[in-house]
Amino acid sequence: MGATDRFQGDPGSSAVAPSDPGGLLDVLNVAAVLLNAEGRIDLWSPQAEILFGYSAEEALGKYAGHLLIDKEHLDTVLALFSQVMDDGESWAGVFPVRRKDGSTRVVEFRNMRLQDDQREYWALGLATDRTTLRRVERNLALSAQLVSQAPIGLAMLDTDLRYISVNPAEERMNGVPAAEHVGRHVREVLPLIDAAFEGAMREVLATGTPIVDQYTVGRTPADPDHDHAWSISFYRLESSDGRVLGVATSSVDVTDRHRAVEEQRRTALTLQRSLLPHPPAQRPGLEVAFRYRPAQATIEIGGDWFDVIPLAGDKTALVVGDVMGSGVTAAATMGQLRTATRTLADLDLPPARVLHHLDHITDGLDTIATCVYAVFDPRTERCDLSVAGHLPPVLLRPDGRRELLDLPTGAPLGGCGISFESTSVDFERGDQLVLYTDGLVETRDQPIDARLNALLDVLDDPHRSLDATCDLLLHTLRHSGERDDVALLIARAGPGPAGRGEGQGQSGRPRTAAR
């Protein structure tokens, strides 16, 4: 380790380490000049050469006053020098200095008397450019005011995620005095905060990529009995030479908005659940299971619905639909469409005609919705289906064969005026029909074809109970934090009317194979 290496030590630490350039002393470029009792220059720092323009060889041994001061100011400077040397009181002030090139520079001085082991006096002068010093002072004052008066919480943490400083707004948010932040790990100060808070800071430290407006929920010592919410941004702190110093956070308290959104979510969810059917009575020749799962994101409760509607002649209508949008409006629109669907179902219309009428009704509601409407007749062991812009149902046979039904997709409900088509398929004992909304299969990072294939892969056991199949589909396909709700309805054909042959329809025809 060379003798010219610079060192810096942390308080309470016995270790030393080289400092890096770019610190405050480097910015100020403080010059040091040592004068003997006669005013001659005895020591001349490299910074003095930069500030005044004279090399050490040119300056050493010269009278400082004659070298650096114009005649008009010389008497004043000599009087100040005598005062410092006689009284031993330091002097600080500003006066113009003549540089080697003849120009004048206003310099901020600090002068003090020193005494050596021979009891002789010396004068130490520390000097820096006044303009530079004022700029640094102004920037520091402005930074301090911005930090202290900012209405958002600001904090700086080191690379071990221990607090270095917090501003008053952060202090109030956390309910912990600023002095009790400093030196403590974030988990010590905020033990009830979401774990994602610490994870985000570690990610920013590792990558250097800022994270902006991360929604964080948790509790603080300021209010340990209630959840609060913040929009927090994280960015890495680096020195001028790129050395990682830590991470900074800026926090905006959005608790009021969070609570309002949560209340809206509860209202929409309550409304939606009140509009969805209760477990339907057992239908002739049909076993049914269903699930509804709300969006796990805060405000994304939507308009997904399902229904099981008794019809004349032991028939049953099976419906799954999805209203575009979210919140109370979508839930209310869903309720209107469900009511309209039940009213139309009582007319015993073909599925395509039901969707035709729903299309006109949806146009009047100024919204868009998708829907699949199916009618099962246990007497004929047939199922008639029609689709309005909805994902295809799955048909699962007792021998394990399964397929996405190739049905005319149609257009979403909402006044497009496009006609719908009905398709009839065999639906005999043991056959299952799986109806679902897009929240079950759609993701942001996978194509829909891959997700539909994943749906078919899960349906690998036709003898599994319908409730178990519903739970397995949700567990396997639906990821945590999904921003869309899910409606899922599975129907399995049971025994038909007495006297029918196994594996044959009422007319004795062979059943249609799955495609």
Side-chain angles (χ1 to χ4, degrees), residues 488-505:
L488 173 63
L489 176 62
I490 305 179
R492 177 157 52 197
R500 302 190 57 161
E502 288 294 327
Q504 293 185 336

Side-chain angles (χ1 to χ4, degrees), residues 72-84:
E72 60 180 299
H73 303 299
L74 184 57
D75 289 342
T76 301
V77 170
L78 291 176
L80 291 172
F81 175 75
S82 297
Q83 179 182 330
V84 170

Side-chain angles (χ1 to χ4, degrees), residues 161 164 201 219 251 266 269 317 322 360 397 471-472 512:
L161 300 187
I164 299 172
M201 288 191 285
R219 300 184 180 188
S251 309
R266 285 191 293 270
L269 186 56
D322 183 1
H360 287 285
R397 299 297 191 186
D471 293 337
L472 181 62
T512 302

Side-chain angles (χ1 to χ4, degrees), residues 245-502:
L245 303 175
V247 63
T249 69
S250 60
S251 309
V252 178
D253 193 319
V254 293
T255 301
D256 290 343
R257 184 176 69 188
H258 169 75
R259 290 173 178 170
V261 169
E262 281 294 303
E263 181 61 30
Q264 182 187 23
R265 183 180 189 273
R266 285 191 293 270
T267 300
L269 186 56
T270 300
L271 174 60
Q272 188 171 41
R273 283 177 170 165
S274 69
L275 295 172
L276 291 173
H278 296 291
Q282 188 68 30
R283 297 298 303 146
L286 199 64
E287 177 188 0
V288 176
F290 58 89
R291 295 288 187 276
Y292 170 74
R293 292 290 182 270
Q296 295 173 18
T298 306
I299 60 173
E300 299 297 327
I301 299 299
D304 289 19
W305 92 93
F306 65 90
D307 211 343
V308 179
I309 307 172
L311 302 177
D314 291 334
K315 293 186 292 185
T316 302
L318 306 170
V319 189
V320 166
D322 183 1
V323 175
M324 298 288 185
S326 60
V328 174
T329 301
T333 302
M334 175 273 289
Q336 293 174 286
L337 287 179
R338 177 174 176 262
T339 300
T341 303
R342 281 189 157 255
T343 301
L344 292 169
D346 284 342
L347 302 176
D348 200 17
L349 299 171
R353 294 299 300 168
V354 172
L355 293 186
H356 172 76
H357 290 296
L358 285 177
D359 184 44
H360 287 285
I361 293 171
T362 307
D363 184 30
L365 298 176
D366 193 25
T367 191
I368 296 175
T370 66
C371 183
V372 56
Y373 184 91
V375 175
F376 168 63
D377 187 343
R379 299 181 181 277
T380 62
E381 295 186 320
R382 304 284 291 175
C383 189
D384 297 332
L385 304 96
S386 187
V387 176
H390 205 83
L391 291 170
V394 177
L395 183 60
L396 173 62
R397 299 297 191 186
D399 60 6
R401 290 173 298 152
R402 60 268 199 195
E403 66 168 325
L404 293 165
L405 289 178
D406 186 13
L407 307 176
T409 304
L413 305 174
C416 295
I418 298 176
S419 61
F420 302 95
E421 298 181 39
S422 295
T423 301
S424 182
V425 298
D426 290 329
F427 196 66
E428 302 180 7
R429 183 173 183 175
D431 289 341
Q432 296 181 44
L433 187 66
V434 182
L435 310 177
Y436 53 94
T437 55
D438 57 8
L440 181 65
V441 292
E442 287 189 352
T443 64
R444 297 182 180 183
D445 56 355
Q446 290 181 286
I448 187 61
D449 288 345
R451 297 292 295 164
L452 291 174
N453 287 332
L455 169 63
L456 294 176
D457 290 341
V458 176
L459 297 171
D460 58 354
D461 184 1
H463 306 294
R464 185 185 290 118
S465 74
L466 299 190
D467 283 319
T469 299
C470 285
D471 293 337
L472 181 62
L473 286 170
L474 290 171
H475 176 76
T476 305
L477 300 177
R478 184 167 165 80
H479 300 156
S480 61
E482 291 293 347
R483 302 180 64 86
D484 199 0
D485 46 355
V486 174
L488 173 63
L489 176 62
I490 305 179
R492 177 157 52 197
R500 302 190 57 161
E502 288 294 327

Side-chain angles (χ1 to χ4, degrees), residues 180-193:
E180 295 182 19
H181 281 78
V182 177
R184 299 175 66 195
H185 193 278
V186 63
R187 289 194 305 271
E188 296 178 277
V189 178
L190 302 172
L192 303 178
I193 204 70

